Amino acid sequence: MLDSATVARYLWRNWVSEGSKNLLAQKLSLTSEDTEAFVAWVVGTHDIGKASPEFAGQLDSRNDQELLVYRQRIEDCGYTFPMDLTNVQGRCPHSQYSQSIITAWLQNLAEDDECEVAQSIAHISGAHHGIPGQYVKSPNGDRYDEQLLAYVTQQEDYDNWAVAWDQLLTFIAEEMGAGQSIMRLLNGKSLAPEVQFFLTGLTIMSDWIASNPDFFPYEEGQDQNNRMHSGFEALNLSNPWKPENLDGLTPEQIYSQRFGWGDDLILRPMQKTVVEAARSLTDGGLICIEAPMGQGKTEAGLVAAEILAHQAGKNGIMFAAPTQATANALFDRIDDWTQKAAAQSETVSMYLAHSKNQLKKEFADKRFTNVRTYESHEKELGIANVIAHQWFSKKKGILSSFVVGTVDQVLMMALASRHVMLRHLGLSEKVVVIDEVHAYDAYMNVYLENALKWLGRMKVPVILMSATLPAAARQKLMKAYSREFNPIEGIKAKRQRAAAEAAHVSAEIDLSYPVIHTVSSAQHGVPQKWDIEQPTEQKPFSLRAIDDSYVELDRVLSPVETEGGCVAIICNTVGRAQEVYEHLQNTFSSDELILVHSRFISLDRVNQETELVEKLGKKSRRGRGRPHRFIVVGTQVIEQSLDVDFDVMITDHAPVDLVLQRIGRLHRHERDGERPAPFERPICYVRGVDELGAENSTPVFSSVAELIYDKAILLSSYAQLMPFFEGDALHIPADISRTVQGAYSEEPFLPESWMEAWDEAIAERRRKAVESEKKAGGYSMNPNDKKMMFDFFEKVALSSKDADEVIAQAKVRDTEDTLEVIVVQSDDASTYRPLHTDYADAVFERDALEKPDWKLANVLAGSTIRLPYQFADKGWSSENNPLDKALSELEEDMFSAWQKHYLLKGQLALVLDQNCERVLAGKKIRYSRELGLQVLNDEIA
């Protein structure tokens, strides 16, 4: 207990940000000293439940004579072991005992048997295993908490166990100086939910450090201060970031120092205004940056984050991207920035937060067990030593100072799942940057809005970035974040706020773009718009709608055959992309084609990303890496991931904001004289529509397209793009805001002949939105709904699976449940090899006893793929469920040796034959490096 308390005190003084410490003191109405003392007491007492007959009685259940010695010592001191508590199956968790014991003790101090403050404090200890103790059930299905609190208050049933509880709780209170703060809290209000989550996260973190015998060995007689010093010396955590004060620098100087752009650089107006807007938020807040693709939003967001981190007293940054590929692409850029921005901190921790991070070589190269020596040449260069500290891994990765990851890492802050409290702790210490916020559906937006509510309550600075954000979406997100920022009570204040918000909404009709908005508690939660000088440079694009035939596709590509060019063909589904690729194989050679989508094993996808950047990135040039002729066929991964540049583009029709995002990869970089003559001016062809639309005829979209995208937005997007299809030039950025806001308007301009289809589509949209929001609401935590932390978990059927972050992550996206598998190949029934051809010699046997070596395990971990929708759980009956059938068949191919390696434990194997084929759940599948995973038929041929 003393180790846990002093670890928490150390972390409070040396790891927790000043912003969080000040906010916690404010929310608890305590001085900073009393807040520290209370926090140390809460953490120090979290394991009091181990001092109970049911927990200690385990010494008798193992029939171990050495352990029975300790049981006898306890009994010799007068502690009894009631038979009904020790001879049981499925013991009550000690965390639930802790909660009940602390509740009873605090209620006794408060002289109130129903003291809510006591309950809100005690629930922190009850949840220190990652879920509230109330939801751990006994073997017969009963909840332990229903009788336990009353049970432990009957002191005669526990003899002097209750005396020990009082002595231990009092001892930690005295050692930490927490007596005064406890009494003050008991006379006040319950701990707010965000405080409960934060302190539970800190309790878990402290527990995992203090209970590790490598840092705090079981020794007696050691001075506690020396013990603490030795423990943290062994752990050797990297220092939290200390953001610099940039107030004395001009915007040009800041960007030059952080990105090496030179002293004579000319910033875009948006990049300069971001600095001004960030400096205005002296106590933190939210900034929304809307600016065109390729205009330096990432750099602007990082500069704003650094300014906000200093002003709000935060010591880290979370940069959230839409996909793993996007996060991988950003990792190196943010690493370079971190080295300069964290120079004063010397050594800081960085984490790549997604399930395939071990495949990113640049991240893997940063992994160290401890902080390595800060080398002299790094000091001379004035840069930080950025490492991936071994302790900050997996669930603890979010606690690193700098985190780059998928947006799921932020959305899961609002997901009732195991150890979500660590996510609250980690994100509360940071500035949170969310890129491409336009790319979320109604389901994900429930999580995003609730996550913003939690972040707003903890006054976490947030930066939202998008090239194509509908005004209504922006207003909802800003309102969610600023919900708690109305400091004045009364009808008059509410009327003033409503009038200010109404004026702000009406001001959005001007469609200014680029544009920046801010909101903060200092602004009373009312958004402020920052005028930006509108760019004079406008790039014209041609859009042409073409029919969906291969004849038309071949006609459009015919200049590529004769003149060359780098082409992107973006399809809305993997199946369409595979079909297009196979068609083009009749015309173009294999080295002129590449197919990219989500159904490749992870290692193949990494190789594809590397190849695309090398051939189509900013540094490639015609004759020096950039091919004469090259066609990339793919899905949305092209629009959301890499910094690549195409001469011409062909895309399936999609919501207008996504079409514009895709166009952002067209003529992205300056290539004077390099582009083929037919593509000197950027042109994008739009296909994938069954029947093209016109003033007198409604476009008809494929059933597959309507499954992926809302039909109403497909209609309104087509209407916005139709003038460009008919010959008008699309000017970027001038036309971005008008087209996006027009398409997402509640009453978009549509031809009269389309209105019947529009009304039907709107009715369907509303029905699906209600379903999606209801579905998400079952798992999503809205901080305004509950007072006690355990109440947020009441709708969740918790099980061991909830500890699996991959499963939890799937719940923040509205996708069907499918299986992730490791794909291997076998020529016979005994020997197997990874599918990736670079490791074809790494043969292993089914009956191997030894766990795979590191190289093989890493290759296998990189051979994962998620089975396609044909194997998804779509609510089928149990006998017809393809997910259940596939799972049953795959479990027969489990490799027992895999269970011994942490990278492979619990993973399913998809074993393919020598032709890389097999039948799974009645469906024939095939894998190839060219096409990825294909479902060849829905029944056995």
Side-chain angles (χ1 to χ4, degrees):
M1 292 173 75
L2 197 56
D3 280 346
S4 295
T6 50
V7 164
R9 186 169 61 186
Y10 179 95
L11 292 174
W12 184 263
R13 293 177 178 178
N14 299 284
W15 185 84
V16 176
S17 68
E18 290 300 317
S20 292
K21 287 191 280 192
N22 293 336
L23 183 64
L24 264 291
Q26 175 187 333
K27 286 181 175 288
L28 295 174
S29 299
L30 297 175
T31 65
S32 57
E33 292 80 8
D34 281 348
T35 303
E36 177 186 304
F38 170 69
V39 169
W41 179 84
V42 165
V43 177
T45 58
H46 77 272
D47 263 346
I48 185 71
K50 290 183 176 178
S52 65
E54 192 165 349
F55 183 85
Q58 294 178 92
L59 297 169
D60 191 32
S61 66
R62 302 180 183 179
N63 296 318
D64 187 325
Q65 291 299 316
E66 293 183 4
L67 293 179
L68 286 175
V69 171
Y70 295 99
R71 160 78 177 252
Q72 188 60 50
R73 287 186 186 180
I74 297 172
E75 290 185 304
D76 289 346
C77 292
Y79 298 93
T80 61
F81 291 85
M83 293 292 292
D84 61 332
L85 291 179
T86 54
N87 293 333
V88 295
Q89 290 184 344
R91 298 176 184 276
C92 175
H94 70 267
S95 58
Q96 183 57 54
Y97 264 98
S98 294
Q99 177 176 314
S100 298
I101 292 166
I102 294 170
T103 299
W105 189 77
L106 290 173
Q107 288 180 343
N108 183 58
L109 287 180
E111 299 181 348
D112 180 0
D113 290 341
E114 300 294 333
C115 180
E116 283 193 350
V117 180
Q119 295 173 28
S120 67
I121 295 171
H123 289 149
I124 295 169
S125 294
H128 79 265
H129 283 167
I131 58 173
Q134 284 90 332
Y135 296 102
V136 179
K137 295 182 179 180
S138 66
N140 62 12
D142 294 334
R143 277 173 45 175
Y144 285 113
D145 68 306
E146 293 173 349
Q147 301 295 329
L148 187 58
L149 179 57
Y151 201 34
V152 301
T153 56
Q154 297 171 7
Q155 296 186 14
E156 63 272 14
D157 291 342
Y158 280 86
D159 298 314
N160 53 355
W161 289 99
V163 176
W165 299 335
D166 179 66
Q167 291 176 345
L168 287 167
L169 293 170
T170 302
F171 166 73
I172 297 297
E174 292 175 349
E175 287 290 313
M176 297 297 109
Q180 178 175 268
S181 58
I182 292 171
M183 293 308 301
R184 285 183 177 176
L185 287 170
L186 289 174
N187 291 320
K189 296 180 180 179
S190 300
L191 272 60
E194 62 270 20
V195 176
Q196 296 174 51
F197 275 91
F198 183 94
L199 293 182
T200 305
L202 186 60
T203 300
I204 295 169
M205 181 181 183
S206 302
D207 183 23
W208 288 353
I209 294 173
S211 62
N212 190 324
D214 292 337
F215 310 139
F216 295 93
Y218 298 110
E219 296 176 358
E220 295 183 14
Q222 187 179 10
D223 176 79
Q224 189 64 26
N225 287 332
N226 292 337
R227 181 172 172 81
M228 191 57 43
H229 177 76
S230 299
F232 275 95
E233 189 175 65
L235 176 58
N236 204 4
L237 283 181
S238 50
N239 298 320
W241 177 40
K242 299 174 183 176
E244 294 182 39
N245 184 351
L246 303 177
D247 285 349
L249 300 178
T250 66
E252 288 78 7
Q253 289 172 323
I254 296 172
Y255 283 92
S256 178
Q257 289 185 16
R258 292 296 178 259
F259 307 108
W261 286 352
D263 296 331
D264 57 346
L265 81 162
I266 299 176
L267 295 176
R268 292 186 169 91
M270 174 273 295
Q271 294 172 320
K272 297 181 69 171
T273 305
V274 161
V275 175
E276 183 183 357
R279 284 173 170 169
S280 75
L281 303 179
T282 55
D283 193 30
L286 181 146
I287 300 177
C288 184
I289 305 171
E290 297 169 65
M293 302 72 72
Q295 297 291 303
K297 283 195 302 296
T298 299
E299 290 77 11
L302 290 171
V303 166
E306 185 171 1
I307 294 171
L308 289 173
H310 173 76
Q311 294 180 163
K314 297 300 180 182
N315 57 23
I317 285 179
M318 167 77 209
F319 203 109
T323 65
Q324 291 184 12
T326 330
N328 286 342
L330 285 167
F331 183 83
D332 298 336
R333 296 169 66 185
I334 296 175
D335 180 25
D336 290 341
W337 169 82
T338 301
Q339 292 176 34
K340 302 178 181 72
Q344 292 185 350
S345 305
E346 294 198 347
T347 299
V348 292
S349 59
M350 190 171 183
Y351 186 72
L352 180 60
H354 62 67
S355 59
K356 297 293 181 290
N357 57 13
Q358 76 273 10
L359 301 181
K360 176 70 173 174
K361 183 179 183 300
E362 291 78 3
F363 172 67
D365 289 346
K366 289 182 174 294
R367 298 192 68 82
F368 297 94
T369 301
N370 288 314
V371 178
R372 66 182 174 90
T373 304
Y374 186 46
E375 298 175 3
S376 59
H377 76 275
E378 291 169 314
K379 290 185 178 181
E380 292 173 1
L381 291 172
I383 61 175
N385 177 30
V386 182
I387 67 166
H389 196 285
Q390 186 76 9
W391 196 81
F392 292 125
S393 61
K394 295 189 176 180
K395 289 184 178 181
K396 296 174 289 188
I398 199 73
L399 304 176
S400 299
S401 291
F402 297 91
V403 181
V404 182
T406 58
V407 70
D408 307 75
Q409 307 299 321
V410 177
L411 302 185
M412 284 192 288
M413 186 184 196
L415 176 66
S417 58
R418 191 181 294 272
H419 292 119
V420 66
M421 307 83 175
L422 282 176
R423 203 166 298 280
H424 280 248
L425 174 66
L427 293 177
S428 293
E429 297 304 284
K430 297 175 175 61
V431 177
V432 175
V433 185
I434 306 178
D435 197 10
E436 299 192 37
V437 292
H438 59 276
Y440 311 134
D441 56 22
Y443 182 94
M444 290 177 69
N445 275 329
V446 171
Y447 285 95
L448 180 57
E449 289 176 32
N450 283 339
L452 288 173
K453 290 174 186 177
W454 286 107
L455 295 170
R457 279 178 170 243
M458 287 300 292
K459 289 192 174 180
V460 174
V462 172
I463 299 168
L464 305 178
M465 301 195 300
S466 176
T468 53
L469 184 64
R474 177 213 312 135
Q475 290 158 9
K476 286 182 69 176
L477 298 178
M478 298 188 85
K479 187 173 183 178
Y481 177 83
S482 62
R483 188 180 178 96
E484 299 296 311
F485 292 170
N486 187 7
I488 309 171
E489 299 294 332
I491 296 176
K492 182 178 179 181
K494 291 179 180 179
R495 286 176 178 171
Q496 290 174 341
R497 176 185 173 87
E501 288 180 341
H504 174 71
V505 171
S506 64
E508 294 310 312
I509 299 174
D510 65 15
L511 301 178
S512 300
Y513 186 83
V515 66
I516 292 173
H517 294 84
T518 59
V519 67
S520 69
S521 58
Q523 297 170 3
H524 308 318
V526 179
Q528 177 181 347
K529 177 183 172 183
W530 294 78
D531 291 323
I532 299 176
E533 178 186 343
Q534 301 302 299
T536 57
E537 178 187 352
Q538 300 289 337
K539 182 181 290 187
F541 290 78
S542 294
L543 264 66
R544 296 291 180 267
I546 60 175
D547 69 46
D548 205 34
S549 68
Y550 284 132
V551 172
E552 189 72 349
L553 179 64
D554 292 340
R555 183 191 66 79
V556 167
L557 290 175
S558 60
V560 179
E561 292 186 68
T562 56
E563 303 289 338
C566 296
V567 186
I569 303 178
I570 305 177
C571 303
N572 287 337
T573 68
V574 174
R576 274 179 62 85
Q578 290 172 330
E579 290 171 4
V580 169
Y581 181 88
E582 288 185 298
H583 171 76
L584 295 180
Q585 285 180 312
N586 298 320
T587 307
F588 299 94
S589 63
S590 59
D591 59 351
E592 296 173 332
L593 287 171
I594 187 172
L595 177 64
V596 293
H597 54 68
S598 59
R599 287 193 215 155
F600 285 96
I601 62 173
S602 301
L603 283 169
D604 283 344
R605 290 186 66 181
V606 170
N607 289 348
Q608 289 171 347
E609 292 169 14
T610 302
E611 180 180 356
L612 289 178
V613 171
E614 289 176 351
K615 292 182 174 180
L616 304 173
K618 188 173 184 178
K619 296 179 181 179
S620 66
R621 288 290 180 267
R622 183 65 63 91
R624 288 180 291 139
R626 188 173 177 88
H628 170 69
R629 182 166 51 225
F630 195 60
I631 300 176
V632 181
V633 183
T635 56
Q636 295 90 328
V637 295
I638 298 175
E639 106 207 7
Q640 292 181 339
S641 56
L642 306 174
D643 184 12
V644 290
D645 166 75
F646 298 97
D647 300 319
V648 62
M649 179 173 289
I650 304 167
T651 175
D652 281 357
H653 179 60
V656 67
D657 49 328
L658 301 188
V659 173
L660 293 172
Q661 284 288 330
R662 296 170 185 181
I663 291 175
R665 267 65 183 172
L666 179 59
H667 285 227
R668 185 178 180 90
H669 302 134
E670 292 297 328
R671 299 190 181 277
D672 294 338
E674 287 191 27
R675 302 194 191 275
F679 310 124
E680 287 180 350
R681 294 184 179 182
I683 183 167
C684 177
Y685 297 93
V686 179
R687 67 191 297 262
V689 180
D690 287 353
E691 295 181 21
L692 300 178
E695 191 71 25
N696 297 320
S697 59
T698 307
V700 177
F701 310 113
S702 69
S703 57
V704 173
E706 291 183 16
L707 281 175
I708 301 171
Y709 301 117
D710 168 40
K711 182 179 179 179
I713 194 61
L714 291 176
L715 281 168
S716 60
S717 296
Y718 199 99
Q720 292 296 318
L721 296 175
M722 201 156 58
F724 307 116
F725 294 156
E726 295 171 353
D728 290 356
L730 172 70
H731 290 90
I732 291 182
D735 289 325
I736 289 180
S737 184
R738 179 171 61 82
T739 54
V740 172
Q741 308 310 336
Y744 283 89
S745 169
E746 292 186 4
E747 297 181 357
F749 176 78
L750 299 172
E752 186 65 31
S753 63
W754 296 19
M755 295 311 297
E756 182 179 351
W758 169 257
D759 291 341
E760 293 175 357
I762 283 295
E764 181 67 7
R765 168 194 284 178
R766 290 169 180 163
R767 184 188 68 79
K768 289 182 177 179
V770 170
E771 288 181 358
S772 293
E773 290 171 7
K774 183 179 180 180
K775 182 179 177 182
Y779 297 97
S780 185
M781 303 188 302
N782 182 341
N784 303 314
D785 288 347
K786 312 288 183 183
K787 291 176 62 177
M788 295 294 180
M789 179 168 53
F790 72 86
D791 287 331
F792 290 97
F793 293 79
E794 63 185 356
K795 293 182 181 179
V796 182
L798 289 166
S799 68
S800 60
K801 290 194 300 182
D802 291 289
D804 187 338
E805 187 162 312
V806 175
I807 293 174
Q809 188 167 329
K811 289 178 181 174
V812 299
R813 295 181 185 260
D814 192 14
T815 56
E816 305 286 356
D817 288 340
T818 60
L819 299 170
E820 184 180 76
V821 295
I822 293 177
V823 187
V824 298
Q825 185 180 12
S826 177
D827 294 335
D828 52 48
S830 59
T831 58
Y832 302 81
R833 65 174 58 87
L835 197 61
H836 199 284
T837 55
D838 291 348
Y839 304 94
D841 59 337
V843 177
F844 57 96
E845 297 180 355
R846 171 179 292 282
D847 299 327
L849 299 177
E850 295 296 322
K851 69 179 182 180
D853 60 35
W854 174 253
K855 179 182 177 182
L856 177 58
N858 208 44
V859 172
L860 290 170
S863 300
T864 57
I865 198 168
R866 190 162 289 278
L867 294 178
Y869 71 92
Q870 288 94 337
F871 300 94
D873 183 0
K874 303 176 184 178
W876 300 73
S877 62
S878 57
E879 59 271 14
N880 293 321
N881 193 327
L883 181 77
D884 291 344
K885 288 183 177 180
L887 179 60
S888 177
E889 294 176 24
L890 293 171
E891 285 177 338
E892 296 178 4
D893 287 329
M894 294 284 283
F895 293 89
S896 57
W898 288 12
Q899 310 311 309
K900 301 177 183 179
H901 201 290
Y902 80 94
L903 285 176
L904 308 175
K905 187 176 181 180
Q907 291 279 7
L908 296 167
L910 177 66
V911 180
L912 304 180
D913 63 21
Q914 58 186 359
N915 298 317
C916 286
E917 296 179 350
R918 75 168 287 171
V919 174
L920 180 66
K923 299 172 178 61
K924 188 173 183 180
I925 57 178
R926 175 193 297 153
Y927 186 89
S928 68
R929 291 196 71 182
E930 292 74 31
L931 294 170
L933 190 68
Q934 293 176 281
V935 179
L936 301 179
N937 62 336
D938 282 346
E939 300 294 338
I940 299 177

